[in-house]
Amino acid sequence: MSESVIITNELTKRFSNFTAVDAISFEVKKGEIFGFLGANGAGKTTAMRMLCGLSIPTSGRASVAGFDVYKQTEDIKRSIGYMSQKFSLYEDLTVKENMQFYGGIYGMSNKAIKQKTDYVLNTLHLENEAKKLVRSLPLGWKQKLAFSVAIFHEPSIVFLDEPTGGVDPVTRREFWNLIYEAAENGITIFVTTHYMDEAEYCNRVSIMVDGKIEALDSPTRLKQIFEAESMGEVFLKLARKAVRSE
Amino acid sequence: MKQFISFVKKEFYHIGRDRRTLFILLVMPIVQIIIFGFALTNEVKNSSIAVLDQANDVGTRSIIAELDASNYFTVQKNLNSYKEVESEFKKGKIKMVIVFPQNFATDIKHFNKAQIQFITDASDPNLANTMNSYASNIIMDYQNRINQDLKLPYRIKTEYRMLYNAQLKGAYSFVPGVMSMVLMLICTMMTAITIVKEKELGTMEVMLVSPVQPLKIVIAKAVPYLLLSTINITTILLLSVFVLDVPINGSIILLVSEAILFTLTSLALGLLISTVTDSQQTAMFISLTGMFLPTVMLSGFMFPIENMPLPLQIISNIVPAKWFYFIVKSVMIKGVGLASVWRETLILVAMTGFFLLLSIKKFKIRLA
């Protein structure tokens, strides 16, 4: 495969006497779909915040899209997209206005915004909804739109924090088709999830327990190593070892 | 700059889409000015009074005519006996009864002395006091007139002038009050709510992951409210000049700049509230109890600060509205210039700076 876009080495975050993230080391390749799993309180969110430039690590090294997480957080922010479980769209703005806004804050030119808006509306078949408030769209559509907005400025990496909470399996499958398409276009996908069927869709999966990465490999290999039928079983075997909970 | 404009545009969409809130924000000052101007007034206007005139002579009749002719009183009823006095008060309409004894005119002529009794409904003590003094003044005027030709040997005459507000109009004190209230409410509460709303929705997180600097986010949020406040300042001033006849004696530019300064103070306060809360309800609660009530109670607009117990007087100093109220009153009513209010202006500037620094610091701590 090609070069690594996320590299961490012994990355650690401590809050007074509590070690949220304990010396994690991993690499994510360009265009890879990387699943970041862990029970609640395992340290996923803290690790992700450090990679997004929202939180300064206590120790260790990490670079995202070639930029250092200590010194170049502004450059990191420019090169990544982000979508959280709460979607991140403004419900009282129209579909089009949302895209214009996100394009605007990433400093895209008006022309680029217009082209990209047309492209997204076209691929999502939302041409007729362009002037409707996001509030009026069904949940599944909102999620797909939120993902398209997160990669609107063509970042090299997109972080998805439990993006498919609360939607039905069919919509989830459609959502994942969008993710595959983005990955094919060279965007690296870093995704956290609670759904084990989604873990199967990833190229590689890491499982965090108590702030440490306990397993990291492709879903097929992980199932072999842990002699499990499914990723769910792998996850349970690991998560049971956890000492701390929420 | 492009980022900033996109942001401001978005804020205007938010405000524009929420028609109901926008309506309230623009109409509230008008309603408040009208309520305070015409309903909540402690001036005495055309109060209903009754007369028990046991003399019914030239003197009493001309006094009654004068009372009735004044703007303050309307003589509603002539009573026939003392018994009726209390039953009239109990009916509630009559606020004051004026009693003339028999032989009023003869008493004046022969004994140089006559008596009049005022009986007032003191269930509203302020009103009763005001009516007493108005009625006394009218009678005093009458007495001076009939004594015109006489030279009394000794006489001390007090003459008083009410400076800046000769007619003792309530509007002179509540216009500055309403202005501080409205600005405080809109700016503090709305800024706090709009920022906390983004936290609740999760969009704030997305903003923070984006390359926009937090300071820009915050300023962009403040811009539309600054504009709304300017509209409100204009409405309040227009209404007070043209509807309530409150003059603007000082410089309009100074007045408007001070109002914008106070708007900034309120915005900074709203920002500070938004950094310490995570829910819209908490933000609203803090703004209302922590900001709005002190503004009404401790700014001197409803209750004079001089009459408060010392601890409250000291606390009133940290209420920004107290200083703004003083400034507006001085500039608008007394017509003074910056030279007389620079101290208060400086206090507001310092408060604004302090709130801003504190909230930026808090904002950063939350990011780490």
PDB file of all heavy atoms in Angstrom, chain B residues 45-51 60-78 94 96 98 100 134-135 138-139:
ATOM      1  N   LYS B  45     -52.622  61.251  37.763  1.00  0.00           N
ATOM      2  CA  LYS B  45     -53.298  61.895  36.640  1.00  0.00           C
ATOM      3  C   LYS B  45     -54.790  61.656  36.771  1.00  0.00           C
ATOM      4  O   LYS B  45     -55.216  60.515  36.837  1.00  0.00           O
ATOM      5  CB  LYS B  45     -52.820  61.268  35.325  1.00  0.00           C
ATOM      6  CG  LYS B  45     -51.868  62.167  34.556  1.00  0.00           C
ATOM      7  CD  LYS B  45     -51.582  61.556  33.209  1.00  0.00           C
ATOM      8  CE  LYS B  45     -50.121  61.734  32.866  1.00  0.00           C
ATOM      9  NZ  LYS B  45     -49.621  60.658  32.054  1.00  0.00           N
ATOM     10  N   ASN B  46     -55.559  62.725  36.817  1.00  0.00           N
ATOM     11  CA  ASN B  46     -57.012  62.597  36.882  1.00  0.00           C
ATOM     12  C   ASN B  46     -57.499  61.576  37.906  1.00  0.00           C
ATOM     13  O   ASN B  46     -58.314  60.731  37.604  1.00  0.00           O
ATOM     14  CB  ASN B  46     -57.577  62.235  35.519  1.00  0.00           C
ATOM     15  CG  ASN B  46     -57.347  63.362  34.530  1.00  0.00           C
ATOM     16  OD1 ASN B  46     -57.430  64.536  34.905  1.00  0.00           O
ATOM     17  ND2 ASN B  46     -57.032  63.012  33.307  1.00  0.00           N
ATOM     18  N   SER B  47     -56.968  61.662  39.110  1.00  0.00           N
ATOM     19  CA  SER B  47     -57.451  60.774  40.167  1.00  0.00           C
ATOM     20  C   SER B  47     -58.863  61.200  40.570  1.00  0.00           C
ATOM     21  O   SER B  47     -59.163  62.388  40.654  1.00  0.00           O
ATOM     22  CB  SER B  47     -56.559  60.877  41.396  1.00  0.00           C
ATOM     23  OG  SER B  47     -55.336  60.306  41.132  1.00  0.00           O
ATOM     24  N   SER B  48     -59.660  60.177  40.839  1.00  0.00           N
ATOM     25  CA  SER B  48     -61.041  60.481  41.238  1.00  0.00           C
ATOM     26  C   SER B  48     -61.083  60.896  42.700  1.00  0.00           C
ATOM     27  O   SER B  48     -60.563  60.201  43.566  1.00  0.00           O
ATOM     28  CB  SER B  48     -61.919  59.250  41.062  1.00  0.00           C
ATOM     29  OG  SER B  48     -61.863  58.849  39.726  1.00  0.00           O
ATOM     30  N   ILE B  49     -61.674  62.045  42.945  1.00  0.00           N
ATOM     31  CA  ILE B  49     -61.824  62.462  44.340  1.00  0.00           C
ATOM     32  C   ILE B  49     -63.281  62.827  44.606  1.00  0.00           C
ATOM     33  O   ILE B  49     -64.061  63.031  43.675  1.00  0.00           O
ATOM     34  CB  ILE B  49     -60.930  63.680  44.701  1.00  0.00           C
ATOM     35  CG1 ILE B  49     -61.252  64.880  43.799  1.00  0.00           C
ATOM     36  CG2 ILE B  49     -59.466  63.318  44.556  1.00  0.00           C
ATOM     37  CD1 ILE B  49     -60.606  66.160  44.289  1.00  0.00           C
ATOM     38  N   ALA B  50     -63.625  62.871  45.896  1.00  0.00           N
ATOM     39  CA  ALA B  50     -64.970  63.280  46.272  1.00  0.00           C
ATOM     40  C   ALA B  50     -64.853  64.468  47.218  1.00  0.00           C
ATOM     41  O   ALA B  50     -63.797  64.695  47.820  1.00  0.00           O
ATOM     42  CB  ALA B  50     -65.695  62.128  46.942  1.00  0.00           C
ATOM     43  N   VAL B  51     -65.898  65.225  47.326  1.00  0.00           N
ATOM     44  CA  VAL B  51     -65.872  66.413  48.176  1.00  0.00           C
ATOM     45  C   VAL B  51     -67.034  66.354  49.163  1.00  0.00           C
ATOM     46  O   VAL B  51     -68.140  65.961  48.804  1.00  0.00           O
ATOM     47  CB  VAL B  51     -66.038  67.688  47.327  1.00  0.00           C
ATOM     48  CG1 VAL B  51     -65.816  68.912  48.168  1.00  0.00           C
ATOM     49  CG2 VAL B  51     -65.084  67.669  46.150  1.00  0.00           C
ATOM     50  N   THR B  60     -65.197  77.771  49.186  1.00  0.00           N
ATOM     51  CA  THR B  60     -65.096  76.342  48.940  1.00  0.00           C
ATOM     52  C   THR B  60     -65.367  76.026  47.481  1.00  0.00           C
ATOM     53  O   THR B  60     -64.695  75.198  46.885  1.00  0.00           O
ATOM     54  CB  THR B  60     -66.066  75.542  49.822  1.00  0.00           C
ATOM     55  OG1 THR B  60     -67.395  75.929  49.496  1.00  0.00           O
ATOM     56  CG2 THR B  60     -65.786  75.779  51.280  1.00  0.00           C
ATOM     57  N   ARG B  61     -66.346  76.704  46.908  1.00  0.00           N
ATOM     58  CA  ARG B  61     -66.669  76.389  45.520  1.00  0.00           C
ATOM     59  C   ARG B  61     -65.516  76.712  44.586  1.00  0.00           C
ATOM     60  O   ARG B  61     -65.213  75.958  43.669  1.00  0.00           O
ATOM     61  CB  ARG B  61     -67.935  77.126  45.093  1.00  0.00           C
ATOM     62  CG  ARG B  61     -69.158  76.248  45.331  1.00  0.00           C
ATOM     63  CD  ARG B  61     -70.385  76.920  44.804  1.00  0.00           C
ATOM     64  NE  ARG B  61     -70.492  78.261  45.390  1.00  0.00           N
ATOM     65  CZ  ARG B  61     -71.607  78.727  45.973  1.00  0.00           C
ATOM     66  NH1 ARG B  61     -72.701  78.001  45.985  1.00  0.00           N
ATOM     67  NH2 ARG B  61     -71.649  79.924  46.494  1.00  0.00           N
ATOM     68  N   SER B  62     -64.816  77.826  44.859  1.00  0.00           N
ATOM     69  CA  SER B  62     -63.725  78.127  43.929  1.00  0.00           C
ATOM     70  C   SER B  62     -62.542  77.175  44.134  1.00  0.00           C
ATOM     71  O   SER B  62     -61.837  76.823  43.188  1.00  0.00           O
ATOM     72  CB  SER B  62     -63.307  79.595  44.003  1.00  0.00           C
ATOM     73  OG  SER B  62     -62.974  79.911  45.316  1.00  0.00           O
ATOM     74  N   ILE B  63     -62.335  76.717  45.383  1.00  0.00           N
ATOM     75  CA  ILE B  63     -61.268  75.727  45.580  1.00  0.00           C
ATOM     76  C   ILE B  63     -61.608  74.434  44.837  1.00  0.00           C
ATOM     77  O   ILE B  63     -60.759  73.842  44.145  1.00  0.00           O
ATOM     78  CB  ILE B  63     -61.038  75.451  47.081  1.00  0.00           C
ATOM     79  CG1 ILE B  63     -60.413  76.681  47.743  1.00  0.00           C
ATOM     80  CG2 ILE B  63     -60.128  74.244  47.271  1.00  0.00           C
ATOM     81  CD1 ILE B  63     -60.240  76.543  49.241  1.00  0.00           C
ATOM     82  N   ILE B  64     -62.856  74.000  44.978  1.00  0.00           N
ATOM     83  CA  ILE B  64     -63.270  72.762  44.311  1.00  0.00           C
ATOM     84  C   ILE B  64     -63.104  72.885  42.796  1.00  0.00           C
ATOM     85  O   ILE B  64     -62.591  71.985  42.128  1.00  0.00           O
ATOM     86  CB  ILE B  64     -64.733  72.399  44.669  1.00  0.00           C
ATOM     87  CG1 ILE B  64     -64.807  72.017  46.154  1.00  0.00           C
ATOM     88  CG2 ILE B  64     -65.235  71.242  43.810  1.00  0.00           C
ATOM     89  CD1 ILE B  64     -66.221  71.917  46.683  1.00  0.00           C
ATOM     90  N   ALA B  65     -63.481  74.031  42.283  1.00  0.00           N
ATOM     91  CA  ALA B  65     -63.347  74.247  40.839  1.00  0.00           C
ATOM     92  C   ALA B  65     -61.896  74.151  40.416  1.00  0.00           C
ATOM     93  O   ALA B  65     -61.571  73.569  39.375  1.00  0.00           O
ATOM     94  CB  ALA B  65     -63.930  75.612  40.472  1.00  0.00           C
ATOM     95  N   GLU B  66     -61.011  74.694  41.261  1.00  0.00           N
ATOM     96  CA  GLU B  66     -59.596  74.645  40.898  1.00  0.00           C
ATOM     97  C   GLU B  66     -59.029  73.233  40.931  1.00  0.00           C
ATOM     98  O   GLU B  66     -58.214  72.847  40.082  1.00  0.00           O
ATOM     99  CB  GLU B  66     -58.771  75.570  41.794  1.00  0.00           C
ATOM    100  CG  GLU B  66     -58.736  76.953  41.182  1.00  0.00           C
ATOM    101  CD  GLU B  66     -57.794  77.891  41.887  1.00  0.00           C
ATOM    102  OE1 GLU B  66     -56.667  77.454  42.190  1.00  0.00           O
ATOM    103  OE2 GLU B  66     -58.216  79.035  42.132  1.00  0.00           O
ATOM    104  N   LEU B  67     -59.466  72.471  41.945  1.00  0.00           N
ATOM    105  CA  LEU B  67     -59.014  71.076  42.026  1.00  0.00           C
ATOM    106  C   LEU B  67     -59.459  70.311  40.782  1.00  0.00           C
ATOM    107  O   LEU B  67     -58.700  69.563  40.166  1.00  0.00           O
ATOM    108  CB  LEU B  67     -59.603  70.402  43.269  1.00  0.00           C
ATOM    109  CG  LEU B  67     -58.982  70.782  44.612  1.00  0.00           C
ATOM    110  CD1 LEU B  67     -59.852  70.263  45.761  1.00  0.00           C
ATOM    111  CD2 LEU B  67     -57.578  70.216  44.729  1.00  0.00           C
ATOM    112  N   ASP B  68     -60.717  70.546  40.434  1.00  0.00           N
ATOM    113  CA  ASP B  68     -61.294  69.833  39.296  1.00  0.00           C
ATOM    114  C   ASP B  68     -60.617  70.242  37.986  1.00  0.00           C
ATOM    115  O   ASP B  68     -60.431  69.424  37.094  1.00  0.00           O
ATOM    116  CB  ASP B  68     -62.798  70.134  39.245  1.00  0.00           C
ATOM    117  CG  ASP B  68     -63.545  69.069  38.453  1.00  0.00           C
ATOM    118  OD1 ASP B  68     -62.959  67.969  38.280  1.00  0.00           O
ATOM    119  OD2 ASP B  68     -64.670  69.339  38.019  1.00  0.00           O
ATOM    120  N   ALA B  69     -60.235  71.511  37.921  1.00  0.00           N
ATOM    121  CA  ALA B  69     -59.648  72.009  36.679  1.00  0.00           C
ATOM    122  C   ALA B  69     -58.225  71.495  36.478  1.00  0.00           C
ATOM    123  O   ALA B  69     -57.736  71.434  35.353  1.00  0.00           O
ATOM    124  CB  ALA B  69     -59.645  73.537  36.688  1.00  0.00           C
ATOM    125  N   SER B  70     -57.564  71.125  37.570  1.00  0.00           N
ATOM    126  CA  SER B  70     -56.179  70.664  37.424  1.00  0.00           C
ATOM    127  C   SER B  70     -56.168  69.295  36.744  1.00  0.00           C
ATOM    128  O   SER B  70     -57.151  68.575  36.731  1.00  0.00           O
ATOM    129  CB  SER B  70     -55.520  70.538  38.789  1.00  0.00           C
ATOM    130  OG  SER B  70     -55.970  69.360  39.422  1.00  0.00           O
ATOM    131  N   ASN B  71     -54.993  68.950  36.179  1.00  0.00           N
ATOM    132  CA  ASN B  71     -54.865  67.655  35.513  1.00  0.00           C
ATOM    133  C   ASN B  71     -54.835  66.504  36.493  1.00  0.00           C
ATOM    134  O   ASN B  71     -54.963  65.356  36.124  1.00  0.00           O
ATOM    135  CB  ASN B  71     -53.559  67.605  34.718  1.00  0.00           C
ATOM    136  CG  ASN B  71     -53.684  68.424  33.468  1.00  0.00           C
ATOM    137  OD1 ASN B  71     -54.779  68.536  32.930  1.00  0.00           O
ATOM    138  ND2 ASN B  71     -52.574  69.005  33.048  1.00  0.00           N
ATOM    139  N   TYR B  72     -54.591  66.844  37.761  1.00  0.00           N
ATOM    140  CA  TYR B  72     -54.345  65.777  38.714  1.00  0.00           C
ATOM    141  C   TYR B  72     -55.617  65.143  39.252  1.00  0.00           C
ATOM    142  O   TYR B  72     -55.636  63.981  39.591  1.00  0.00           O
ATOM    143  CB  TYR B  72     -53.510  66.306  39.883  1.00  0.00           C
ATOM    144  CG  TYR B  72     -52.272  67.049  39.433  1.00  0.00           C
ATOM    145  CD1 TYR B  72     -52.057  68.388  39.745  1.00  0.00           C
ATOM    146  CD2 TYR B  72     -51.322  66.378  38.651  1.00  0.00           C
ATOM    147  CE1 TYR B  72     -50.923  69.044  39.315  1.00  0.00           C
ATOM    148  CE2 TYR B  72     -50.185  67.042  38.217  1.00  0.00           C
ATOM    149  CZ  TYR B  72     -49.988  68.372  38.542  1.00  0.00           C
ATOM    150  OH  TYR B  72     -48.874  69.014  38.113  1.00  0.00           O
ATOM    151  N   PHE B  73     -56.658  65.965  39.372  1.00  0.00           N
ATOM    152  CA  PHE B  73     -57.863  65.454  40.034  1.00  0.00           C
ATOM    153  C   PHE B  73     -59.111  65.647  39.178  1.00  0.00           C
ATOM    154  O   PHE B  73     -59.199  66.573  38.388  1.00  0.00           O
ATOM    155  CB  PHE B  73     -58.097  66.193  41.361  1.00  0.00           C
ATOM    156  CG  PHE B  73     -56.931  66.100  42.301  1.00  0.00           C
ATOM    157  CD1 PHE B  73     -56.128  67.201  42.552  1.00  0.00           C
ATOM    158  CD2 PHE B  73     -56.639  64.891  42.921  1.00  0.00           C
ATOM    159  CE1 PHE B  73     -55.049  67.115  43.414  1.00  0.00           C
ATOM    160  CE2 PHE B  73     -55.557  64.793  43.783  1.00  0.00           C
ATOM    161  CZ  PHE B  73     -54.765  65.911  44.029  1.00  0.00           C
ATOM    162  N   THR B  74     -60.058  64.740  39.394  1.00  0.00           N
ATOM    163  CA  THR B  74     -61.380  64.908  38.825  1.00  0.00           C
ATOM    164  C   THR B  74     -62.374  64.742  39.971  1.00  0.00           C
ATOM    165  O   THR B  74     -62.344  63.714  40.660  1.00  0.00           O
ATOM    166  CB  THR B  74     -61.680  63.837  37.773  1.00  0.00           C
ATOM    167  OG1 THR B  74     -60.595  63.811  36.876  1.00  0.00           O
ATOM    168  CG2 THR B  74     -62.964  64.135  37.032  1.00  0.00           C
ATOM    169  N   VAL B  75     -63.187  65.746  40.200  1.00  0.00           N
ATOM    170  CA  VAL B  75     -64.160  65.625  41.278  1.00  0.00           C
ATOM    171  C   VAL B  75     -65.324  64.788  40.770  1.00  0.00           C
ATOM    172  O   VAL B  75     -66.031  65.170  39.838  1.00  0.00           O
ATOM    173  CB  VAL B  75     -64.645  67.013  41.751  1.00  0.00           C
ATOM    174  CG1 VAL B  75     -65.695  66.852  42.844  1.00  0.00           C
ATOM    175  CG2 VAL B  75     -63.462  67.821  42.244  1.00  0.00           C
ATOM    176  N   GLN B  76     -65.476  63.616  41.378  1.00  0.00           N
ATOM    177  CA  GLN B  76     -66.467  62.663  40.886  1.00  0.00           C
ATOM    178  C   GLN B  76     -67.790  62.809  41.614  1.00  0.00           C
ATOM    179  O   GLN B  76     -68.833  62.494  41.069  1.00  0.00           O
ATOM    180  CB  GLN B  76     -65.962  61.225  41.105  1.00  0.00           C
ATOM    181  CG  GLN B  76     -64.819  60.826  40.207  1.00  0.00           C
ATOM    182  CD  GLN B  76     -65.314  60.424  38.838  1.00  0.00           C
ATOM    183  OE1 GLN B  76     -66.513  60.291  38.631  1.00  0.00           O
ATOM    184  NE2 GLN B  76     -64.402  60.258  37.888  1.00  0.00           N
ATOM    185  N   LYS B  77     -67.708  63.229  42.870  1.00  0.00           N
ATOM    186  CA  LYS B  77     -68.906  63.094  43.684  1.00  0.00           C
ATOM    187  C   LYS B  77     -68.961  64.160  44.752  1.00  0.00           C
ATOM    188  O   LYS B  77     -67.922  64.561  45.286  1.00  0.00           O
ATOM    189  CB  LYS B  77     -68.864  61.729  44.379  1.00  0.00           C
ATOM    190  CG  LYS B  77     -70.199  61.020  44.262  1.00  0.00           C
ATOM    191  CD  LYS B  77     -70.141  59.620  44.739  1.00  0.00           C
ATOM    192  CE  LYS B  77     -71.498  58.990  44.474  1.00  0.00           C
ATOM    193  NZ  LYS B  77     -71.475  57.570  44.701  1.00  0.00           N
ATOM    194  N   ASN B  78     -70.162  64.607  45.069  1.00  0.00           N
ATOM    195  CA  ASN B  78     -70.357  65.463  46.233  1.00  0.00           C
ATOM    196  C   ASN B  78     -71.027  64.644  47.311  1.00  0.00           C
ATOM    197  O   ASN B  78     -72.096  64.083  47.104  1.00  0.00           O
ATOM    198  CB  ASN B  78     -71.252  66.651  45.866  1.00  0.00           C
ATOM    199  CG  ASN B  78     -70.441  67.720  45.154  1.00  0.00           C
ATOM    200  OD1 ASN B  78     -69.440  68.194  45.681  1.00  0.00           O
ATOM    201  ND2 ASN B  78     -70.859  68.044  43.939  1.00  0.00           N
ATOM    202  N   ILE B  94     -62.942  56.130  44.481  1.00  0.00           N
ATOM    203  CA  ILE B  94     -62.496  57.408  45.022  1.00  0.00           C
ATOM    204  C   ILE B  94     -61.215  57.209  45.819  1.00  0.00           C
ATOM    205  O   ILE B  94     -61.130  56.313  46.652  1.00  0.00           O
ATOM    206  CB  ILE B  94     -63.600  57.987  45.958  1.00  0.00           C
ATOM    207  CG1 ILE B  94     -64.900  58.204  45.192  1.00  0.00           C
ATOM    208  CG2 ILE B  94     -63.130  59.263  46.640  1.00  0.00           C
ATOM    209  CD1 ILE B  94     -64.817  59.253  44.121  1.00  0.00           C
ATOM    210  N   MET B  96     -59.512  59.965  47.244  1.00  0.00           N
ATOM    211  CA  MET B  96     -59.282  61.045  48.199  1.00  0.00           C
ATOM    212  C   MET B  96     -60.605  61.785  48.417  1.00  0.00           C
ATOM    213  O   MET B  96     -61.371  61.966  47.462  1.00  0.00           O
ATOM    214  CB  MET B  96     -58.249  62.005  47.617  1.00  0.00           C
ATOM    215  CG  MET B  96     -57.834  63.127  48.525  1.00  0.00           C
ATOM    216  SD  MET B  96     -56.685  64.182  47.603  1.00  0.00           S
ATOM    217  CE  MET B  96     -55.776  64.890  48.930  1.00  0.00           C
ATOM    218  N   ILE B  98     -62.084  65.398  50.146  1.00  0.00           N
ATOM    219  CA  ILE B  98     -61.703  66.683  50.720  1.00  0.00           C
ATOM    220  C   ILE B  98     -62.902  67.231  51.492  1.00  0.00           C
ATOM    221  O   ILE B  98     -64.006  67.311  50.955  1.00  0.00           O
ATOM    222  CB  ILE B  98     -61.253  67.652  49.619  1.00  0.00           C
ATOM    223  CG1 ILE B  98     -59.979  67.061  48.994  1.00  0.00           C
ATOM    224  CG2 ILE B  98     -60.998  69.046  50.181  1.00  0.00           C
ATOM    225  CD1 ILE B  98     -59.441  67.837  47.852  1.00  0.00           C
ATOM    226  N   PHE B 100     -64.651  70.176  53.731  1.00  0.00           N
ATOM    227  CA  PHE B 100     -64.673  71.578  54.158  1.00  0.00           C
ATOM    228  C   PHE B 100     -65.646  71.710  55.317  1.00  0.00           C
ATOM    229  O   PHE B 100     -66.768  71.200  55.239  1.00  0.00           O
ATOM    230  CB  PHE B 100     -65.162  72.486  53.015  1.00  0.00           C
ATOM    231  CG  PHE B 100     -64.261  72.470  51.811  1.00  0.00           C
ATOM    232  CD1 PHE B 100     -64.522  71.612  50.752  1.00  0.00           C
ATOM    233  CD2 PHE B 100     -63.160  73.321  51.736  1.00  0.00           C
ATOM    234  CE1 PHE B 100     -63.714  71.592  49.649  1.00  0.00           C
ATOM    235  CE2 PHE B 100     -62.349  73.303  50.620  1.00  0.00           C
ATOM    236  CZ  PHE B 100     -62.613  72.440  49.573  1.00  0.00           C
ATOM    237  N   TYR B 134     -49.985  67.386  46.000  1.00  0.00           N
ATOM    238  CA  TYR B 134     -50.588  68.121  44.883  1.00  0.00           C
ATOM    239  C   TYR B 134     -51.755  68.977  45.363  1.00  0.00           C
ATOM    240  O   TYR B 134     -51.872  70.160  45.018  1.00  0.00           O
ATOM    241  CB  TYR B 134     -51.073  67.161  43.788  1.00  0.00           C
ATOM    242  CG  TYR B 134     -49.964  66.597  42.920  1.00  0.00           C
ATOM    243  CD1 TYR B 134     -50.218  65.509  42.094  1.00  0.00           C
ATOM    244  CD2 TYR B 134     -48.693  67.162  42.912  1.00  0.00           C
ATOM    245  CE1 TYR B 134     -49.216  64.976  41.296  1.00  0.00           C
ATOM    246  CE2 TYR B 134     -47.695  66.644  42.129  1.00  0.00           C
ATOM    247  CZ  TYR B 134     -47.951  65.555  41.318  1.00  0.00           C
ATOM    248  OH  TYR B 134     -46.968  65.024  40.540  1.00  0.00           O
ATOM    249  N   ALA B 135     -52.627  68.364  46.187  1.00  0.00           N
ATOM    250  CA  ALA B 135     -53.800  69.096  46.658  1.00  0.00           C
ATOM    251  C   ALA B 135     -53.376  70.289  47.515  1.00  0.00           C
ATOM    252  O   ALA B 135     -53.916  71.391  47.375  1.00  0.00           O
ATOM    253  CB  ALA B 135     -54.722  68.163  47.438  1.00  0.00           C
ATOM    254  N   ILE B 138     -52.285  73.152  45.361  1.00  0.00           N
ATOM    255  CA  ILE B 138     -53.378  73.872  44.704  1.00  0.00           C
ATOM    256  C   ILE B 138     -54.031  74.849  45.690  1.00  0.00           C
ATOM    257  O   ILE B 138     -54.318  76.010  45.368  1.00  0.00           O
ATOM    258  CB  ILE B 138     -54.406  72.877  44.136  1.00  0.00           C
ATOM    259  CG1 ILE B 138     -53.749  72.107  42.990  1.00  0.00           C
ATOM    260  CG2 ILE B 138     -55.665  73.586  43.666  1.00  0.00           C
ATOM    261  CD1 ILE B 138     -54.576  70.967  42.471  1.00  0.00           C
ATOM    262  N   ILE B 139     -54.198  74.354  46.920  1.00  0.00           N
ATOM    263  CA  ILE B 139     -54.841  75.212  47.916  1.00  0.00           C
ATOM    264  C   ILE B 139     -53.935  76.387  48.310  1.00  0.00           C
ATOM    265  O   ILE B 139     -54.377  77.515  48.480  1.00  0.00           O
ATOM    266  CB  ILE B 139     -55.272  74.375  49.134  1.00  0.00           C
ATOM    267  CG1 ILE B 139     -56.492  73.549  48.690  1.00  0.00           C
ATOM    268  CG2 ILE B 139     -55.609  75.229  50.343  1.00  0.00           C
ATOM    269  CD1 ILE B 139     -56.762  72.366  49.515  1.00  0.00           C
TER     270      ILE B 139
END
